[in-house]
Amino acid sequence: MLTIALCFLLHHPSAAQYPFSIPTEQLAAESTSQNPQDEELNSFSSQISTDWIWLDGRRLFQIAAARNLISERKQIVQENLQKIQRNYLTSDQVEPQVEIKTLNNLPVLSVNNQNLITITSLDTNLRAVDSGALTTDIQNIVISALKQSRTERQPQYLKQQGILLSGILFAVLIINGLICLLQRRLYRSSKGNTASTVDFMTRLPTLNSWDGLNTLLRQVLSLGHVSIWFAGVLICMDRFPYTRPIKIWILRSLSLPLTVSLVGVCTYFMVRFSWALINRFALALTVSPLLTPIVSRRLQLRISTITRVVKGIAIPIWGSIGIIVILILFKVDVGPLLAGVGLIGVAISLASQGIIKDAINGFLVIAEDQFGVGDIIKVEGFTGTVETLNLRITQIRNAEGQLITIPNSEIKIVANLSSDWSRVDLNIPIPYECDLDSMLDLILDTAQKMAEDPKWAPEILESPQLMGLDDFSHRGPMIKIWIKTQPLKQWAVSRELRRQLKLAFDTAGIAIPVPQYSIEVNNHHRD
C-alpha cells in the first residue's frame, strides 16, 4: 500500500502541469525526436563532461572537455596553476602579471609568463558567453585567488586565524559543557520521576522509560557532542590554506557514508520519537478518573497490546522512507523501483495467503479485544500468559515456563481467564457429624473477615457469596463459596482463604475430613 501510494504521488497526472516535474532526459529525448537535424549535436553534448579547478581548497572556475579527456585536462590546468602559485609566493611581485595570448585562434590565459589555460569553445558554451568575457572572468578569479593565497600565508593573518581558532575551540567546549549540563538535568528529571515511571510500567507493561521523550533527548544530545566536535574541527581546518584541502578530501571521502549515516540516524530518531509519542498518547488514554478499576485495567491491557502492534509497524514504515530518501539523494529514480516493489508485494501476498489470514485474524483479535498482552488464556489445549501479540502470531508462556507460539489463523476458540474480573470457586468439605448451619456461618464469617482485611480488600471486588451445600462426597458435605476478584488474583485469594479456613477450623476444634479406608482381615483357624 505504501509503494502504490508513493507511485501515485510521484507519477500523478497533475504533475504534468509543472515544468520542473519533467525530467531533463525526457525533454532531451523529445527535443531530439522533434528535431532530427540536431541528433548529432545532442549525441556529442551527452559526451561532454565538466569539472572544477581548485586552489587552496576553494573552487575557482569550471572547465569542459570530452568525457575521456576531462581528467587529463584538469590535471594539466591544476599543475599549471600550482606552478604559478609557487612562483608568485616566492617572488616579491605584488600584482600578478596576466596576459591573454592567441594560439591556434584560441585565447590562452598566461600568468607571470606561465600558460594557465586555453579557452575552448566547450568552455564558452558551458558559460554561454563569448571567449573574451569568459577569459576576463577567469583572469579576475585567478588574480583574486592568488592574492588571497599570499595574504593567507602572511604571519599576521596566521596569527589572527590562530586567535580565531582558539575562540572556536573555546566555543565548542562551552557548547559541549552546556550539553553535558542539560543531559545531567534530563537524567535527574527522569530519575526523580521513578515512582511515576514504575506506575506507568505497571499499567502498561510493554512501555518502559527508555521509550520516553526524555531519553530520546539525551540520545540526541549525545549525538550532538560528536557532531559539534566534527563541525568544529572542519571549521578550524577551513581557516588555513594548508589544511583546507584536507577538509575537502574528508568531505569528499565521507560524503557517501555521511549521507547514509545521517539518514539512518534521522530514521532511528523518528522511530524513537514515534514510540515516545505513542507512549504518551497511550498513557493519556489510560489515565481517567471516570473509569472503574475493572474497565481501566482492561483498557490498559488493550492499549498495551495495540501500542506494541503500532510500534512494530512504525519500524518498517520509517525504514522504507529512509531507504527511499537515500535513493532520492543519490539521484535514483524511485518511481519504477516502487512500482516493481509493489508488484512483488502483490505477488508475495497472493502466494502467502496463510500470512494474510494470520494478519486478518490478529487484527480481529485486537479490535474485538478477545485477549491482550498480560492475559491468561486457554487456546488449542494450551494455557498460559500472553507475552507477545502481533498481527502474525500469539506467544503464551505456560506454567512450566515453555514459550508456545500459535499462528493467529489457528486461533478458533479461546478462553480468557483474566478478562475484566476473575472468581474464586472453592469447594470446602466438612464432617458429616458437625452442625451444618454452624459450619456455614463459620465459613462465611471467615470469608467476610478476609474481604474486610485492608491487605486483601483491593483484590476482592464484591462480598463473598456462600452458595450453600453443593454436593455429598466420601469426604463429607461440600460447601461452595464464590468470591469475585481482580483479574489474575483468584489463585492468591483462594490460597489465602484456604489458609484462614484451616486456622478457623483448628480454633473451633473441627478436623477437615479426609478419605478414610477400613481394612478388615479375617483369620479363620481350622481344627
Side-chain angles (χ1 to χ4, degrees):
M1 292 177 64
L2 178 63
T3 55
I4 293 174
L6 289 174
C7 287
F8 177 78
L9 293 175
L10 292 173
H11 297 279
H12 194 270
S14 62
Q17 305 298 325
Y18 305 97
F20 55 80
S21 64
I22 303 177
T24 306
E25 294 79 7
Q26 181 180 350
L27 291 175
E30 294 177 357
S31 175
T32 303
S33 63
Q34 295 175 2
N35 301 284
Q37 299 176 353
D38 298 336
E39 181 176 356
E40 182 178 356
L41 179 59
N42 291 329
S43 175
F44 177 74
S45 299
S46 64
Q47 299 176 3
I48 302 302
S49 181
T50 62
D51 207 340
W52 284 90
I53 300 300
W54 296 74
L55 182 66
D56 289 341
R58 290 194 178 96
R59 294 192 304 184
L60 299 186
F61 54 88
Q62 272 185 304
I63 60 174
R67 191 178 300 275
N68 57 339
L69 299 176
I70 186 65
S71 59
E72 181 180 355
R73 188 184 182 205
K74 177 184 177 181
Q75 182 179 1
I76 292 174
V77 176
Q78 283 286 172
E79 290 178 354
N80 292 339
L81 183 58
Q82 291 174 0
K83 289 180 182 179
I84 293 172
Q85 183 190 31
R86 286 195 298 267
N87 294 333
Y88 175 72
L89 293 177
T90 55
S91 68
D92 297 333
Q93 188 178 5
V94 178
E95 193 73 20
Q97 300 297 324
V98 181
E99 298 181 67
I100 301 177
K101 304 177 182 179
T102 302
L103 182 63
N104 297 328
N105 295 325
L106 295 175
V108 178
L109 185 64
S110 176
V111 181
N112 294 335
N113 297 323
Q114 173 69 45
N115 291 339
L116 175 61
I117 183 175
T118 300
I119 308 300
T120 65
S121 59
L122 297 179
D123 297 327
T124 57
N125 293 334
L126 176 65
R127 300 281 292 271
V129 295
D130 57 14
S131 59
L134 179 60
T135 304
T136 303
D137 289 344
I138 296 178
Q139 173 185 343
N140 295 332
I141 292 173
V142 171
I143 291 175
S144 176
L146 290 175
K147 289 182 178 179
Q148 186 173 3
S149 66
R150 167 169 283 184
T151 303
E152 289 180 346
R153 287 167 172 80
Q154 298 301 318
Q156 184 65 24
Y157 176 85
L158 295 176
K159 182 179 179 181
Q160 293 176 355
Q161 295 305 312
I163 297 174
L164 181 61
L165 176 63
S166 301
I168 293 173
L169 294 177
F170 181 74
V172 170
L173 290 174
I174 292 296
I175 295 174
N176 277 277
L178 294 176
I179 292 177
C180 289
L181 292 177
L182 184 57
Q183 282 183 315
R184 292 178 182 176
R185 184 175 179 180
L186 291 173
Y187 177 75
R188 291 172 184 172
S189 176
S190 62
K191 197 173 182 180
N193 295 330
T194 303
S196 61
T197 301
V198 171
D199 181 63
F200 181 52
M201 294 173 61
T202 302
R203 285 177 286 134
L204 296 176
T206 59
L207 310 180
N208 52 62
S209 59
W210 196 65
D211 295 330
L213 291 173
N214 197 315
T215 303
L216 179 61
L217 289 176
R218 295 204 305 269
Q219 293 176 351
V220 173
L221 293 176
S222 298
L223 181 63
H225 278 296
V226 181
S227 302
I228 289 174
W229 276 111
F230 183 73
V233 170
L234 291 182
I235 293 174
C236 292
M237 295 176 68
D238 188 64
R239 305 312 304 170
F240 299 94
Y242 310 104
T243 57
R244 195 178 297 119
I246 301 177
K247 183 204 75 170
I248 300 300
W249 177 83
I250 291 175
L251 293 178
R252 283 182 176 179
S253 302
L254 299 180
S255 60
L256 176 61
L258 280 178
T259 302
V260 176
S261 300
L262 180 61
V263 175
V265 170
C266 291
T267 302
Y268 168 77
F269 282 132
M270 290 306 299
V271 172
R272 302 301 307 171
F273 183 70
S274 301
W275 287 9
L277 291 182
I278 292 170
N279 290 348
R280 291 297 180 95
F281 183 69
L283 180 60
L285 290 178
T286 57
V287 178
S288 175
L290 302 178
L291 299 177
T292 62
I294 296 177
V295 176
S296 178
R297 185 190 179 280
R298 194 66 214 164
L299 180 63
Q300 291 162 10
L301 287 177
R302 188 175 186 183
I303 291 177
S304 174
T305 303
I306 296 175
T307 299
R308 177 172 294 188
V309 174
V310 174
K311 283 183 178 181
I313 296 175
I315 295 177
I317 288 178
W318 284 114
S320 302
I321 294 175
I323 294 175
I324 293 172
V325 170
I326 291 175
L327 294 177
I328 293 175
L329 291 178
F330 289 108
K331 299 180 180 180
V332 177
D333 188 6
V334 298
L337 179 63
L338 293 177
V341 172
L343 294 176
I344 294 174
V346 172
I348 292 176
S349 64
L350 293 176
S352 306
Q353 297 183 9
I355 298 178
I356 297 177
K357 291 180 181 179
D358 292 337
I360 294 175
N361 201 33
F363 172 78
L364 293 176
V365 167
I366 296 172
E368 297 173 357
D369 194 24
Q370 298 179 18
F371 56 86
V373 176
D375 280 334
I376 295 180
I377 63 173
K378 184 176 182 181
V379 56
E380 300 298 328
F382 300 101
T383 303
T385 304
V386 179
E387 288 194 357
T388 302
L389 173 59
N390 53 40
L391 297 179
R392 173 73 179 89
I393 60 172
T394 297
Q395 291 182 322
I396 63 175
R397 181 84 63 177
N398 63 10
E400 298 177 357
Q402 299 173 344
L403 185 62
I404 302 168
T405 301
I406 305 173
N408 289 333
S409 59
E410 300 296 328
I411 299 177
K412 307 299 182 183
I413 301 176
V414 57
N416 194 333
L417 306 182
S418 59
S419 178
D420 297 337
W421 52 271
S422 299
R423 173 182 286 164
V424 173
D425 184 6
L426 190 60
N427 292 319
I428 307 166
I430 62 173
Y432 276 107
E433 61 272 12
C434 291
D435 182 65
L436 180 60
D437 293 334
S438 300
M439 293 301 300
L440 291 175
D441 293 339
L442 177 61
I443 294 173
L444 181 59
D445 183 62
T446 304
Q448 289 285 3
K449 289 181 179 179
M450 179 179 172
E452 296 171 359
D453 188 349
K455 180 180 179 181
W456 294 97
E459 313 297 343
I460 299 175
L461 300 178
E462 296 179 359
S463 298
Q465 295 180 340
L466 186 64
M467 308 307 296
L469 182 60
D470 187 66
D471 194 7
F472 294 100
S473 70
H474 62 285
R475 298 180 60 186
M478 304 298 294
I479 306 299
K480 180 180 288 292
I481 187 171
W482 283 356
I483 301 179
K484 191 174 182 180
T485 68
Q486 295 281 4
L488 305 180
K489 299 299 181 181
Q490 66 270 31
W491 296 291
V493 173
S494 62
R495 285 192 292 266
E496 178 63 19
L497 180 58
R498 288 187 180 95
R499 187 185 74 85
Q500 294 193 16
L501 286 174
K502 175 62 170 62
L503 295 176
F505 282 10
D506 291 344
T507 303
I510 300 172
I512 297 177
V514 295
Q516 297 181 0
Y517 298 93
S518 177
I519 301 176
E520 296 182 0
V521 179
N522 296 325
N523 187 10
H524 300 284
H525 298 279
R526 294 182 180 179
D527 296 335

